[in-house]
Each structure stands twice: as structure tokens, then as C-alpha cells.
Amino acid sequence: MNRRLLVIEDNEQNMYLMQFLLEKNGFEVVGADDGARGVEAALACDPLAILLDIQLPGMDGYAVAAALRKQATLAATPIIAVTSYAMVGDRERILAAGAVGYIEKPINPETFVAEIIQYFSPRWDKAEA
Ligand code: MN
């Protein structure tokens, strides 16, 4: 069963925290620290879901989401935005770019895993069956 998640995040502390929480809950984490590497990793590792920071060097999260949505093999892979970029309209903009959900930083260690699982649990249940 695939319990692999791709985390695209340039901030080391956030990456460390997400990886720690996810691995503690039995997920395998593949990390990418910029958008271009994130797209490459998504194609290479076939993740269950993708956690995507919006503010990234070079290619931002909107561009990454759009690039991921163009890949036929990733068409069913949920993208969950994880960002502090919480200006009015940003939520709509990242959902329009192809994300299924949006989580605001700072990451709450108590609720983070439950929050992200809600966005891909239907797919996960299918993989477990
Ligand atoms: Mn960032």
C-alpha cells in the first residue's frame, strides 16, 4: 500500500515538522525544497497526495499546482496547499490552480495530520482495500 506523501516546502523548520508528524503517523515522506524539484519528484514517486507550500523560490505554488495538473499520471493526486499566504482571494486562487484543500500556517501539530487526511482519505481507503 502506498502511504507516500510528497512535501514541497522551502522552509527547513516547516519541512522538519511536517515530516516528523507524518512519519509518526505511518506515512513515508518525500521532500522537495523548490517547485521544479517538486514537479520532478511528483512524477518520479507517484505520491498518495502532495502538500504544497505557496511561497517557494523560483516557481511559486500556483505555478507548481498548474504544472502538476497538466500531468495525466497525476490527475487524481490531491494537492493540499500549506501556506501562511492567507490574503483575501488566495484560497480561491490556489483552489482554482488545482488544489483540493488549503491549510494555514503555522502548522498545528495537534491537528495537522487529521486536517490533511480528510483531503485524501477516499483515495487512501481505496488503496487499502
Ligand atoms: Mn515557503
Side-chain angles (χ1 to χ4, degrees):
M1 180 188 54
N2 176 4
R3 288 180 64 94
R4 190 179 310 118
L5 298 176
L6 171 62
V7 180
I8 307 174
E9 166 66 79
D10 64 316
N11 180 286
E12 272 181 47
Q13 283 180 321
N14 284 328
M15 176 68 88
Y16 179 85
L17 179 58
M18 286 191 273
Q19 184 159 6
F20 173 80
L21 294 169
L22 292 166
E23 287 179 352
K24 200 171 91 175
N25 284 274
F27 292 100
E28 178 193 339
V29 174
V30 174
D33 64 2
D34 73 26
R37 275 191 278 266
V39 173
E40 207 172 286
L43 291 167
C45 81
D46 184 29
L48 180 59
I50 299 168
L51 304 186
L52 175 62
D53 182 29
I54 300 300
Q55 290 176 293
L56 291 165
M59 201 177 174
D60 69 13
Y62 302 109
V64 174
L68 292 170
R69 285 289 80 110
K70 283 185 192 151
Q71 300 295 330
T73 55
L74 299 170
T77 309
I79 299 169
I80 303 148
V82 183
T83 181
S84 52
Y85 220 55
M87 305 276 285
V88 174
D90 286 344
R91 184 188 172 88
E92 289 68 26
R93 195 175 161 206
I94 192 61
L95 296 178
V100 295
Y102 183 103
I103 292 179
E104 284 182 23
K105 289 176 190 166
I107 290 157
N108 180 345
E110 304 287 323
T111 59
F112 173 70
V113 173
E115 280 184 81
I116 65 145
I117 282 177
Q118 66 175 325
Y119 294 115
F120 60 80
S121 53
R123 194 163 178 244
W124 183 19
D125 293 344
K126 211 158 93 184
E128 275 202 287

